């Protein structure tokens, strides 16, 4: 008696991170025996998918996308969808339909512990993540099944230049090669041309921005004053737009600077750090100058343009953020943190609930033991070593994520049931 061959999994890829990561991932899934398709919404999507037989262009309007997606799922026998970020309209609509049909949803995002890890979850990420409903005691119970040490980050790792390069290249294709996708509408408010100009400007001005950042950091490090950190995000980022109480970054800055003026001791300073990918579309520096003058804080508020956070954290007294993943670095150091939006790390054990003036006057410290358990839980489940943009980062990520996608358990259930694969220990580079 001949056994029937198992029915292959059918993966439908939607939009991914800029660059070739999704193509590499699809290739490995195909080698594992799966059927892989990719829907492209513009010339940038097409440019980074090098398997034309599996590429499906979507040239319709946004209004017909839900119907088109439902037809594709039926025609191709789709069992899994793969996407980067779950809140842009085309993805949110696809996720809703997939959930109705019992189709697995694989969501990639920038790492909750970036830049050394990326996030892989099932169903949703950030404010839609299963982590939002989990308590620290539940995580500690799952960790009891594992005796693994938490992975360490490498000494050197980063792909910011590659990230910016692929972003600029992607928008170049959308600007100059998008004739076949005339109905394409970006999910952000700016036009594609403006997005491309901002990426190009950032690439060209990187040396000047680096000099400005170094000078600002040195003034703070050698200033001899206690300081608090305000960690900014990209105003157009999905976590800020979908999972925070603010409409603009200006709203957040107004609240923070007002609370600092009312509560912080007179010899304390406020350091406002921009997101590493901040590209100038929001007039942050001008807004800070205006608010500093209104509250009589001249000389006590400092702006740092992007860069790494570690140097500033070494001497910080506290930090505030909407829901930036940089909050994880704050908590790792045992520094008090206040969060205003929905975030996977906003657990009562280690995030302050004090009113903002009271927080700046004397913040309560987080429960570092609880946070270390939380951090270890993430590193054994949804946080994978690697990156989307550099070749080295992609190699590291692909070594593990394909098997996780083919598993019947999501990362959190796998740890609780004892089926999680051993985690790779990152090699320290000296």
């Amino acid at each position: 008696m001949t056994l029937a061959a198992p029915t292959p999994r059918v993966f439908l890829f939607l939009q991914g991170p800029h660059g070739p990561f999704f193509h590499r991932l699809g290739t490995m899934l195909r080698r594992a025996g799966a059927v892989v398709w990719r829907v492209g919404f513009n010339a940038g999507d097409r440019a980074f998918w090098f398997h034309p037989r599996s590429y499906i262009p979507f040239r319709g309007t946004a209004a017909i996308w839900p119907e088109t997606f439902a037809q594709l799922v039926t025609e191709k026998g789709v069992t899994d969808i793969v996407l980067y970020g779950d809140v842009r309209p085309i993805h949110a609509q696809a996720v809703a339909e997939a959930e109705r049909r019992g189709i697995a949803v694989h969501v990639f995002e920038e790492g909750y512990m970036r830049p050394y890890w990326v996030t892989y979850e099932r169903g949703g990420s950030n404010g839609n993540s299963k982590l939002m409903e989990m308590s620290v005691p539940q995580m500690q119970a799952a960790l009891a099944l594992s005796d693994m040490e938490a992975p360490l980050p490498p000494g050197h790792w980063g792909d910011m230049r590659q990230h910016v390069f692929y972003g600029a290249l992607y928008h170049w294709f959308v600007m100059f090669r998008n004739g076949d996708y005339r109905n394409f509408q970006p999910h952000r408010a700016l036009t594609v041309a403006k997005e491309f100009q901002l990426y190009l400007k950032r690439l060209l001005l990187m040396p000047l921005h680096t000099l400005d950042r170094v000078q600002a950091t040195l003034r703070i490090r050698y200033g001899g004053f206690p300081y608090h950190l305000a960690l900014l995000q990209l105003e157009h980022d999905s976590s800020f737009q979908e999972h925070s109480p603010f409409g603009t970054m200006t709203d957040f800055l107004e609240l923070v600077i007002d609370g600092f003026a009312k509560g912080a001791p007179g010899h304390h300073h406020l350091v406002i750090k921009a997101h590493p990918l901040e590209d100038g579309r929001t007039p942050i520096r001008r807004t800070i100058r205006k608010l500093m003058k209104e509250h009589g804080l001249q000389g006590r508020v400092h702006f740092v343009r992007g860069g790494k956070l570690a140097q500033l954290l070494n001497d910080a007294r506290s930090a505030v953020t909407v829901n930036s993943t940089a909050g994880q670095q704050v908590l790792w150091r045992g520094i008090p943190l206040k969060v205003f939006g929905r975030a996977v790390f906003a657990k009562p054990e280690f995030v302050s609930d004090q009113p903002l003036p009271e927080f700046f006057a004397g913040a309560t410290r987080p429960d570092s033991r609880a946070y270390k358990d939380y951090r270890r839980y993430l590193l054994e489940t949804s946080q994978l070593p690697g990156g989307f943009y550099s070749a080295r980062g992609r190699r590291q990520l692909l070594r593990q994520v394909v098997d996780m996608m083919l598993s019947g358990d999501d990362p959190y259930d796998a740890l609780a049931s004892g089926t999680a694969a051993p985690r790779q220990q990152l090699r320290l580079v000296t």
Side-chain angles (χ1 to χ4, degrees):
M1 178 178 175
T2 303
L3 295 177
T7 303
R9 300 267 289 277
V10 180
F11 288 83
L12 180 64
F13 282 60
L14 302 184
Q15 288 195 295
H18 300 149
F21 171 70
F22 261 22
H23 169 76
R24 291 286 309 280
L25 178 60
T27 299
M28 290 194 70
L29 284 169
R30 202 175 291 113
R31 289 172 181 168
V35 175
V36 176
W37 298 96
R38 170 71 190 270
V39 179
F41 298 84
N42 57 53
D45 293 339
R46 182 181 60 194
F48 293 112
W49 189 262
F50 310 114
H51 191 265
R53 286 179 296 172
S54 62
Y55 182 78
I56 304 170
F58 175 73
R59 300 188 176 99
T61 63
I64 69 168
W65 164 242
E67 178 184 353
T68 303
F69 174 76
Q71 290 174 348
L72 280 174
V73 166
T74 300
E75 291 172 5
K76 304 297 184 185
V78 172
T79 60
D80 303 72
I81 64 171
V82 187
L83 44 89
Y84 173 73
D86 62 341
V87 298
R88 65 184 69 178
I90 58 174
H91 286 174
Q93 292 162 350
V95 169
E97 179 66 20
E99 289 176 345
R100 283 193 291 270
R101 294 176 177 238
I103 293 171
V105 178
H106 304 266
V107 183
F108 286 90
E109 256 291 5
E110 302 295 341
Y112 295 146
M113 309 236 177
R114 69 187 70 169
Y116 307 118
W117 292 275
V118 305
T119 298
Y120 164 69
E121 295 180 281
R122 303 269 182 96
S125 64
N126 293 311
N128 296 323
S129 169
K130 289 177 68 173
L131 290 170
M132 298 298 298
E133 308 303 324
M134 292 185 199
S135 67
V136 172
Q138 287 174 320
M139 298 176 187
Q140 291 167 332
L143 286 171
L145 300 171
S146 171
D147 59 359
M148 183 190 131
E149 294 293 328
L152 295 171
H156 299 284
W157 188 303
D159 50 15
M160 183 59 66
R161 289 185 181 86
Q162 294 96 323
H163 191 162
V164 175
F165 169 76
Y166 281 127
L169 186 58
Y170 176 91
H171 286 94
W172 183 88
F173 276 106
V174 177
M175 277 184 63
F176 299 111
R177 293 290 186 269
N178 219 45
D180 291 341
Y181 302 87
R182 299 186 185 279
N183 291 313
F184 171 70
Q185 294 293 325
H187 64 282
R188 292 172 177 164
L190 290 185
T191 65
V192 174
K194 184 62 176 177
E195 288 268 6
F196 173 74
Q197 290 171 10
L198 290 171
Y199 269 105
L200 184 60
K201 179 180 178 182
R202 178 171 174 76
L203 276 172
L204 295 175
L205 293 180
M206 268 187 170
L208 290 177
H209 289 173
T210 299
L211 179 61
D212 178 77
R213 180 174 66 250
V214 168
Q215 291 175 339
T217 303
L218 289 175
R219 284 194 294 268
I220 295 161
R221 291 182 64 189
Y222 295 103
F225 45 76
Y227 62 86
H228 308 261
L229 281 171
L231 306 176
L232 303 188
Q233 294 161 246
L234 299 176
E235 188 175 287
H236 58 274
D237 183 74
S238 60
S239 291
F240 182 84
Q241 290 294 325
E242 301 295 331
H243 304 301
S244 87
F246 305 105
T248 67
M249 194 55 65
T250 297
D251 297 335
F252 174 63
L253 286 170
E254 288 174 347
L255 180 68
V256 169
I257 291 177
D258 179 71
F260 178 80
K262 291 177 178 176
H267 62 294
H268 285 209
H269 289 223
L270 177 66
V271 175
I272 299 173
K273 183 186 177 299
H275 188 279
L277 289 173
E278 181 58 54
D279 53 20
R281 72 183 68 189
T282 304
I284 294 174
R285 194 186 289 271
R286 185 167 70 241
T287 300
I288 292 172
R289 289 198 190 104
K290 173 178 174 290
L291 293 171
M292 186 169 54
K293 184 176 180 180
E294 290 176 359
H295 290 85
L297 295 173
Q298 288 89 338
R300 292 178 60 199
V301 179
H302 311 264
F303 176 67
V304 178
R305 187 193 295 273
K308 295 183 179 180
L309 181 58
Q311 293 182 352
L312 295 173
L313 281 176
N314 289 336
D315 297 307
R317 302 294 293 272
S318 72
V320 296
T321 186
V322 178
N323 52 9
S324 170
T325 56
Q328 303 268 15
Q329 296 184 52
V330 176
L331 293 170
W332 174 240
R333 289 167 171 78
I335 298 170
L337 176 69
K338 185 164 182 63
V339 175
F340 291 91
R342 284 169 52 82
V344 295
F345 57 85
K347 305 297 182 185
E349 288 86 353
F350 34 78
V351 171
S352 175
D353 62 355
Q354 297 168 278
L356 195 52
E358 182 181 323
F359 178 82
F360 281 124
T364 55
R365 294 184 62 180
D367 182 342
S368 292
R369 292 179 183 175
Y371 177 71
K372 288 177 181 177
D373 287 338
Y374 165 87
R375 181 178 184 274
R376 183 181 157 212
Y377 180 80
L378 262 63
L379 291 175
E380 292 204 37
T381 54
S382 61
Q383 303 306 289
L384 304 183
F388 299 125
Y389 307 104
S390 70
R392 178 187 173 196
R394 289 191 295 272
R395 288 195 300 269
Q396 187 81 14
L397 177 55
L398 288 166
R399 287 189 178 104
Q400 190 151 1
V401 73
V402 175
D403 288 338
M404 293 179 69
M405 294 175 71
L406 294 171
S407 170
D409 292 326
D410 79 4
Y412 305 119
D413 292 338
L415 182 63
S417 64
T419 63
R423 281 303 155 104
Q424 295 168 310
Q425 296 288 334
L426 295 183
R427 293 187 295 273
L428 292 177
V429 179
T430 58

